[in-house]
Amino acid sequence: MADERGVRRVAVIAASPVSMFNLAIPELLFTKTEVEGRPGYEVLICAPEPGPVPTTGGLDLHVRHGLEVLREADTVIVAGTGSAYEPDPRVVAALREAAAGDKRIASICTGAFLLAEAGLLAGRRATTYWQHADDLRTRYPEVDLKGDVLYVQDGQVVTSSGYAAGIDLCLHIIRTDYGAAVANRVARLALVAPVRPGGQTQFTQTPLPPERGDACADTRGWAMRNLDKPLTLGDLARHAGVSVRTLTRRFHAESGVSPLQWLLHQRIERAKELLETTTLPMDRIAQVSGLGTADSLRAHLVRRTGLTPSAYRAQFSRLGTAPAAATSSVA
């Protein structure tokens, strides 16, 4: 809760072994927040037992505060931990007490497992780092898991995915408390991107399963060189010299997906690459990547990344002022 100066208190729980990066994010961003010349937040790092706390990097951090500081906090954040599957019962109990006190509760990365263990995510929308999403879903099926977003808020609870998404979560909290201007000023001071919408995806490469054979390797290579053409299952089968049925069976055995699923994945990845590295218009990118029309490009990209093509380009373009050669090379 805010003190007499109007400064909000944030308690960050370092559950052993804690991720140093996750732990540093709230301290960095909240301590840079100023409102009308005064600090916006006081940040207190705490642990079940004050003293040395192991980290996932093999070092020990000295934490001065115990979990009692949660009682005076306005916001409680659980940093990512390497013991997500063995939640500390003391942390779980403290989180339940904090939630009962109507405090805002947040987690970064695997911190979501402790919130779920405390029952705070039951029936709520939540997220965690994509590599742990299946485990969270299996262990806590009552959670409405959104496995591909940066962060999500449901009532008093805010969860983020891994690593840098913790930055987005903290900026979201700052924006909620003090407005977008303050949050964007903090982002500039920390040299990070401005506040991003929580519904934006985690921007993994959506990797396909590793290939387990090379019987279809020539056909995959041929398809990659012809993504701009309207390839069908029949076209792929004829190139491979087998029936459609045989191609589908072999393709799935080697790639883990059907031929058309693999083809769509490659086309979307090609479109993303062109958005990042060229200034081609949207209809041309759709043609070159084999997605057909600008409307089709938009639909597939929004479904895959949560962003429109123009928003994706604005976010990820690697060009300052694109040279003409970069455009003409793929035209």
Side-chain angles (χ1 to χ4, degrees):
M1 60 191 68
D3 63 15
E4 63 278 2
R5 300 169 297 163
V7 177
R8 298 174 182 267
R9 293 190 177 96
V10 176
V12 185
I13 301 176
S16 172
V18 67
S19 162
M20 290 188 292
F21 182 72
N22 283 185
L23 194 62
I25 290 170
E27 191 278 334
L28 170 67
L29 296 176
F30 290 121
T31 58
K32 287 187 178 296
T33 304
E34 287 192 1
V35 182
E36 298 178 351
R38 61 172 172 79
Y41 298 95
E42 177 187 12
V43 179
L44 300 173
I45 309 297
C46 61
E49 293 183 12
V53 175
T55 71
T56 54
L59 302 175
D60 284 352
L61 293 178
H62 185 81
V63 177
R64 293 187 297 168
H65 302 288
L67 296 175
E68 68 277 358
V69 300
L70 270 62
R71 299 189 184 100
E72 302 300 321
D74 172 71
T75 298
V76 176
I77 300 177
V78 183
T81 171
S83 60
Y85 306 148
E86 299 177 1
D88 189 313
R90 296 168 293 180
V91 174
V92 171
L95 287 170
R96 288 173 178 156
E97 181 182 343
D102 205 30
K103 301 178 187 297
R104 178 169 50 203
I105 312 293
S107 67
I108 299 174
C109 194
T110 52
F113 282 79
L114 280 82
L115 271 59
E117 182 68 17
L120 306 185
L121 300 184
R124 293 184 188 271
R125 291 174 293 115
T127 192
T128 190
Y129 185 43
W130 65 271
Q131 284 190 324
H132 299 284
D134 287 342
D135 286 336
L136 184 66
R137 186 179 289 110
T138 299
R139 290 170 181 269
Y140 306 101
E142 68 277 10
V143 179
D144 182 8
L145 187 66
K146 307 299 182 184
D148 63 347
V149 299
L150 293 176
Y151 62 89
V152 59
Q153 177 163 358
D154 192 331
Q156 74 191 91
V157 180
V158 194
T159 53
S160 78
S161 56
Y163 299 102
I167 297 174
D168 297 294
L169 177 142
C170 291
L171 290 175
H172 167 72
I173 290 174
I174 295 169
R175 178 180 58 186
T176 300
D177 290 343
Y178 294 113
V182 173
N184 288 335
R185 184 164 63 246
V186 172
R188 289 195 299 272
L189 289 171
L191 299 179
V192 297
V195 180
R196 296 188 288 178
Q200 187 167 307
T201 69
Q202 296 180 25
F203 294 114
T204 63
Q205 290 300 312
T206 319
L208 296 175
E211 293 177 359
R212 298 183 292 272
D214 59 5
C216 296
D218 286 346
T219 297
R220 287 195 295 269
W222 172 78
M224 289 293 291
R225 295 189 296 274
N226 290 276
L227 287 178
D228 59 324
K229 297 180 174 61
L231 301 177
T232 66
L233 267 177
D235 294 329
L236 297 172
R238 278 189 292 275
H239 183 275
V242 296
S243 68
V244 167
R245 191 171 185 176
T246 298
L247 173 80
T248 301
R249 186 182 70 252
R250 290 180 180 176
F251 216 99
H252 198 281
E254 292 184 8
S255 302
V257 294
S258 73
L260 294 184
Q261 286 175 323
W262 178 90
L263 191 61
L264 177 60
H265 176 92
Q266 302 303 335
R267 283 174 165 158
I268 295 173
E269 290 302 307
R270 176 67 58 81
K272 288 162 61 179
E273 179 184 351
L274 294 173
L275 287 167
E276 294 174 21
T277 60
T278 77
T279 57
L280 286 172
M282 300 307 172
D283 57 351
R284 183 60 180 148
I285 288 178
Q287 294 168 7
V288 172
S289 62
L291 292 174
T293 66
D295 287 342
S296 177
L297 167 65
R298 179 188 177 90
H300 284 297
L301 201 68
V302 168
R303 189 176 300 116
R304 178 65 59 88
T305 70
L307 293 180
T308 64
S310 58
Y312 185 93
R313 171 173 274 168
Q315 184 72 45
F316 293 101
S317 175
R318 297 196 291 269
L319 302 175
T321 302
T327 300
S328 62
S329 63
V330 293

